[in-house]
């Protein structure tokens, strides 16, 4: 399987193994999901981490007003992370003017001007790396998510491609937001979002039935319970105990299809999730009418980033006009 967008020898892995990217701008303004105070807090933390003390290089450039152009150098990428990029520069009294919407496809040219940042020179350079890190990571994740969604959509699959909690510590909000821009489910945001009973919980509790019973006594009716199962029999026990979601973990595709079919026949209302070892290449093999969710750790683990750079524009000297006497 080869992509239709070829960008030369430096092309990242996904450009060779995934189908052509069919991107659409998200239907909603997803920035409305991000509390302003959270964006401000994160921007301040990132800036404090990167410049905890003096900025000696700031002396070299001063505080005169300059313009810097944001360039995307990874064609066929999805833009994601605008709110975080903007929040960093807002904290530094700089203004960002975007040329493309969140979720837009950048390219197919080798370089795409994506935004313009204006403000004091030293402030733009203070925010450059934290802002680019957010944008590069978020856009990389959104691009992969959109490609995975394209695979599922082309197969006419009814279920949800989902992320996991295998995120970067301190950066989860950015990565989960990027999943939304890319069109996949974020799964649970954190341990409080849903009860997931994995093998360690079950072994520590003594049985699947006991673990589900104990969890339900605490979470009540307001939270779903998901149980990680290594066999169809374990899935049946979990569903009988009252689990809302049965995760069939590390099943080979054919084994998954057979187990999911039997579980759906026995428990029609239970959701079936497939997880463990699913990759962009193998995803089509796991798509099944009996599987409702497929979660992939590769959405965040080992996901390539999109290459962005920020270039301050050189001042244009005024021409000197000599008048003859």
């Amino acid at each position: 399987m080869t992509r239709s967008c070829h960008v030369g020898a430096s092309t990242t892995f996904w450009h060779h193994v995934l189908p052509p990217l069919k991107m659409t701008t998200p239907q909603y303004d997803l920035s409305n999901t991000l509390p302003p105070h959270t964006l401000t807090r994160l921007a301040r933390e990132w800036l404090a981490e990167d410049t905890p003390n003096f900025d000696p290089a700031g002396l070299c450039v001063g505080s005169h007003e300059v313009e810097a152009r944001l360039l995307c150098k990874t064609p066929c990428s999805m833009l994601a992370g605008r709110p975080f990029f903007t929040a960093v520069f807002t904290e530094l009294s700089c203004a960002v003017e975007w040329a493309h919407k969140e979720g837009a496809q950048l390219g197919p040219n080798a370089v795409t001007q994506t935004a313009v940042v204006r403000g004091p020179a030293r402030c733009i350079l203070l925010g450059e790396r934290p802002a680019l890190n957010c944008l590069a990571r978020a856009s990389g994740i959104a691009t992969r998510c959109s490609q995975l969604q394209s695979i599922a959509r082309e197969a006419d699959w009814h279920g949800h491609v989902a992320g996991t909690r295998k995120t970067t510590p301190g950066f989860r909000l950015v990565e989960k937001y990027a999943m939304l821009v890319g069109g996949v489910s974020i799964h649970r945001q954190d341990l409080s979002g849903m009860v997931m009973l994995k093998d360690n919980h079950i072994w520590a509790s003594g049985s699947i039935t006991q673990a589900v019973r104990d969890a339900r006594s605490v979470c009540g009716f307001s939270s779903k319970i998901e149980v990680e199962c290594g066999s169809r029999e374990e899935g049946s026990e979990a569903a009988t105990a009252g689990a809302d979601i049965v995760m069939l973990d590390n099943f080979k595709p054919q084994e998954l299809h057979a187990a999911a079919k039997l579980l759906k026949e026995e428990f029609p209302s239970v959701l079936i999730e497939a997880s463990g070892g699913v990759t962009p290449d193998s995803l089509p093999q796991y798509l099944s009418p009996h599987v409702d969710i497929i979660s992939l750790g590769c959405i965040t683990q080992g996901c390539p980033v999109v290459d962005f750079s920020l270039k301050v524009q050189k001042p244009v000297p005024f021409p000197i006009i000599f008048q003859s006497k």
Side-chain angles (χ1 to χ4, degrees):
M1 196 181 300
T2 304
R3 288 207 45 158
S4 61
C5 184
H6 299 283
V7 294
S10 63
T11 307
T12 50
F13 175 75
W14 65 33
H15 291 101
H16 296 294
V17 300
L18 293 177
L21 191 57
K22 298 179 181 179
M23 296 194 223
T24 57
T25 302
Q27 181 180 357
Y28 306 105
D29 182 356
L30 294 172
S31 67
N32 289 325
T33 66
L34 301 170
H37 64 275
T38 300
L39 287 173
T40 300
R41 175 181 58 79
L42 288 172
R44 290 176 177 174
E45 290 175 355
W46 294 329
L47 289 167
E49 177 190 54
D50 205 40
T51 316
N53 297 300
F54 290 111
D55 173 29
L59 180 68
C60 305
V61 297
S63 295
H64 63 284
E65 293 288 315
V66 297
E67 176 180 295
R69 296 179 183 176
L70 175 66
L71 306 176
C72 175
K73 297 181 287 186
T74 306
C76 302
S77 299
M78 174 174 274
L79 175 62
R82 284 186 14 165
F84 304 100
F85 185 95
T86 299
V88 169
F89 284 111
T90 298
E91 192 63 23
L92 294 166
S93 301
C94 299
V96 180
E97 181 181 340
W98 291 96
H100 300 276
K101 294 181 178 180
E102 192 84 312
Q105 180 175 355
L106 303 179
N109 298 328
V111 178
T112 301
Q113 181 167 321
T114 309
V116 174
V117 183
R118 298 181 178 89
R122 71 183 186 93
C123 293
I124 287 180
L125 296 178
L126 279 171
E128 176 185 14
R129 181 44 53 197
L132 288 178
N133 286 347
C134 291
L135 203 65
R137 179 71 171 148
S139 296
I141 290 171
T143 301
R144 170 159 284 182
C145 289
S146 185
Q147 291 164 334
L148 294 171
Q149 273 295 91
S150 293
I151 293 172
R153 187 165 49 247
E154 289 171 5
D156 198 27
W157 184 56
H158 74 283
H160 299 273
V161 176
T164 69
R165 277 175 51 248
K166 295 177 181 177
T167 53
T168 308
F171 216 58
R172 179 174 296 173
L173 185 66
V174 177
E175 294 171 351
K176 291 286 189 177
Y177 171 83
M179 294 179 198
L180 291 178
V181 175
V184 308
S185 169
I186 63 174
H187 211 285
R188 55 177 179 165
Q189 181 74 11
D190 47 48
L191 281 174
S192 302
M194 179 179 71
V195 181
M196 182 183 288
L197 302 174
K198 300 175 74 68
D199 51 7
N200 286 327
H201 296 96
I202 294 163
W203 294 336
S205 298
S207 71
I208 290 174
T209 300
Q210 187 64 49
V212 172
R213 183 183 298 124
D214 292 345
R216 183 62 72 191
S217 70
V218 177
C219 72
F221 66 88
S222 62
S223 295
K224 289 183 177 180
I225 296 177
E226 178 169 5
V227 179
E228 179 184 277
C229 301
S231 67
R232 184 198 63 78
E233 290 75 17
E234 289 184 355
S236 181
E237 180 184 353
T240 300
D244 303 284
I245 306 170
V246 170
M247 176 197 287
L248 299 178
D249 190 44
N250 289 313
F251 278 59
K252 294 180 180 179
Q254 293 307 314
E255 296 172 348
L256 169 73
H257 301 323
K261 182 176 184 296
L262 291 173
L263 286 169
K264 277 291 188 180
E265 290 174 349
E266 189 177 2
F267 307 97
S269 63
V270 169
L271 296 176
I272 303 297
E273 176 177 344
S275 186
V278 185
T279 67
D281 280 338
S282 66
L283 175 61
Q285 302 173 44
Y286 288 85
L287 302 177
S288 163
H290 309 294
V291 174
D292 304 290
I293 307 150
I294 299 177
S295 54
L296 302 90
C298 66
I299 285 177
T300 48
Q301 290 193 323
C303 181
V305 299
V306 173
D307 186 10
F308 287 97
S309 64
L310 194 63
K311 297 298 181 183
V312 174
Q313 301 303 293
K314 295 180 179 179
V316 179
F318 290 102
I320 300 175
I321 302 175
F322 296 93
Q323 294 181 344
S324 58
K325 294 184 178 178

